Amino acid sequence: MSSLSLSPPLEVSITLESNSPAKITETFITNTNDHRFYSWWFDCHGILHNIFLILPSALFLFYLAFQAKKYYKKLWIGRSRIINSYYGIVWLVTLLNFAWCCLQTWECVPGKSLSWNLLSLFTTSGLLFLEVSLIAFLLQGNYTSGTEALTRTFAISAFLVGLDICLMGIFVFAFGVPLFVESKDAHGMKWGMWIVHKLVPTAVYGSLIFMYHSSWRERLPARPAYYKYIMIMSGLNALALFASILSGTGFGFWLYDTMDICYHAFYLPLIYVTFLADFLQEEDVNLDNVYYSEMKDAGFFDADWD
């Protein structure tokens, strides 16, 4: 009788290392981080939108930081209180604007709507404060000096910007109007608000241009940089107003988005060059004498000799 011999059982080694909880968690975190990075750059508005917003804002912030040490003595030892205050506000608004540019993805994340609306509200209001304060300074003409001018300028700006914050806050948080969310929805209240918001500064800048070309020009500072600033801001606001009126078309949305990018990316460098650069770069020359010479060359005092 033959015996049946059985071969020893085959041992198969099965490793669970690749399916371990730690490995699964690591893979999930990696994929999540990759998705967040991709979403931050490409989703919502796209990479070009982010680059054109973030790059100019970052460069201007680095420029301010690089120049801060150089201008420290000029700012805090014997300089104008107006310039000191304005320089500090420019720094604050620059930081807010840079954060706004970097956090564009919050606009498309439902859980971040409150944070996005608050950040947008404060950033927009900060930029508006700089804009209104410079207009108030210009309208005071060549008679602005010292603490009185600073108080008057900032009081007017704070009052107007405070009203604007209250109005936009009511629209956004009380009525749920998506003022700061870009969409191709022709939302009547939203675009009506932006039409008014762009119509007022367009009218103000248009009035200033008229004053520069009329007999009232002596009431305005004779700085060529101020006139160029008014021309640029008049064109920018006029285009943004036109885009708001065309909000029901694809071209209107594209134009408004383009103007919004230009405003957030280049307004702060523009106002720095217009208002602060000459004060900060001036060494020992009395600025009043410089301005007087420029006004005399421009013919502002010709009537005095008649």
Side-chain angles (χ1 to χ4, degrees):
M1 184 176 179
S2 60
S3 61
L4 181 63
S5 62
L6 299 176
S7 59
L10 180 63
E11 296 182 1
V12 179
S13 174
I14 300 177
T15 177
L16 298 178
E17 182 182 355
S18 60
N19 296 324
S20 63
K23 189 69 175 180
I24 294 173
T25 303
E26 181 181 352
T27 305
F28 175 76
I29 293 175
T30 303
N31 293 338
T32 302
N33 290 336
D34 291 343
H35 177 69
R36 287 178 180 174
F37 181 80
Y38 180 87
S39 299
W40 184 71
W41 275 106
F42 297 97
D43 290 351
C44 197
H45 296 292
I47 188 170
L48 289 179
H49 184 280
N50 290 330
I51 289 176
F52 284 122
L53 270 178
I54 296 174
L55 186 59
S57 303
L59 290 175
F60 181 64
L61 181 60
F62 290 150
Y63 176 80
L64 281 182
F66 180 76
Q67 297 289 340
K69 184 177 180 180
K70 175 182 177 182
Y71 295 141
Y72 175 77
K73 290 183 178 179
K74 297 179 183 179
L75 284 167
W76 304 116
I77 301 178
R79 304 300 289 182
S80 169
R81 293 182 180 179
I82 295 177
I83 302 304
N84 291 350
S85 304
Y86 213 73
Y87 183 78
I89 295 172
V90 166
W91 253 108
L92 176 62
V93 177
T94 299
L95 293 172
L96 274 174
N97 187 64
F98 181 67
W100 184 89
C101 294
C102 291
L103 297 173
Q104 288 286 297
T105 188
W106 281 8
E107 186 177 346
C108 306
V109 179
K112 294 290 186 179
S113 58
L114 177 60
S115 301
W116 173 252
N117 285 327
L118 287 173
L119 178 61
S120 300
L121 180 62
F122 286 117
T123 303
T124 304
S125 300
L127 291 166
L128 182 63
F129 182 88
L130 290 174
E131 193 171 347
V132 173
S133 59
L134 183 52
I135 293 175
F137 179 81
L138 292 176
L139 289 176
Q140 293 179 68
N142 300 299
Y143 307 104
T144 56
S145 61
T147 307
E148 181 183 355
L150 174 66
T151 304
R152 189 186 309 118
T153 299
F154 286 173
I156 294 171
S157 304
F159 175 74
L160 294 177
V161 173
L163 288 179
D164 187 71
I165 289 176
C166 292
L167 182 61
M168 288 195 295
I170 292 172
F171 268 66
V172 174
F173 300 111
F175 297 130
V177 179
L179 283 180
F180 305 115
V181 177
E182 292 186 17
S183 65
K184 294 189 177 181
D185 266 348
H187 198 291
M189 292 183 68
K190 170 184 175 179
W191 293 108
M193 173 66 176
W194 286 129
I195 287 174
V196 174
H197 212 266
K198 301 302 179 184
L199 179 62
V200 173
T202 301
V204 172
Y205 287 120
S207 301
L208 288 172
I209 292 174
F210 173 77
M211 289 180 67
Y212 264 106
H213 292 279
S214 69
S215 58
W216 296 340
R217 65 175 184 172
E218 66 271 8
R219 297 179 59 88
L220 299 173
R223 299 286 291 170
Y226 291 157
Y227 179 74
K228 293 177 183 177
Y229 168 84
I230 291 171
M231 292 295 294
I232 292 173
M233 293 305 298
S234 177
L236 184 66
N237 280 279
L239 286 174
L241 174 62
F242 180 65
S244 300
I245 296 173
L246 298 178
S247 57
T249 66
F251 175 74
F253 291 121
W254 174 84
L255 182 60
Y256 187 88
D257 185 50
T258 302
M259 293 301 100
D260 197 42
I261 290 174
C262 291
Y263 184 70
H264 283 276
F266 301 112
Y267 177 70
L268 288 167
L270 174 64
I271 205 169
Y272 179 88
V273 170
T274 301
F275 191 72
L276 289 175
D278 288 339
F279 287 92
L280 296 175
Q281 292 175 3
E282 201 65 42
E283 293 292 344
D284 299 320
V285 180
N286 189 323
L287 285 174
D288 291 337
N289 292 335
V290 174
Y291 290 171
Y292 178 83
S293 299
E294 290 186 358
M295 292 172 66
K296 185 176 181 181
D297 294 339
F300 274 67
F301 302 109
D302 291 345
D304 297 340
W305 299 96
D306 294 339

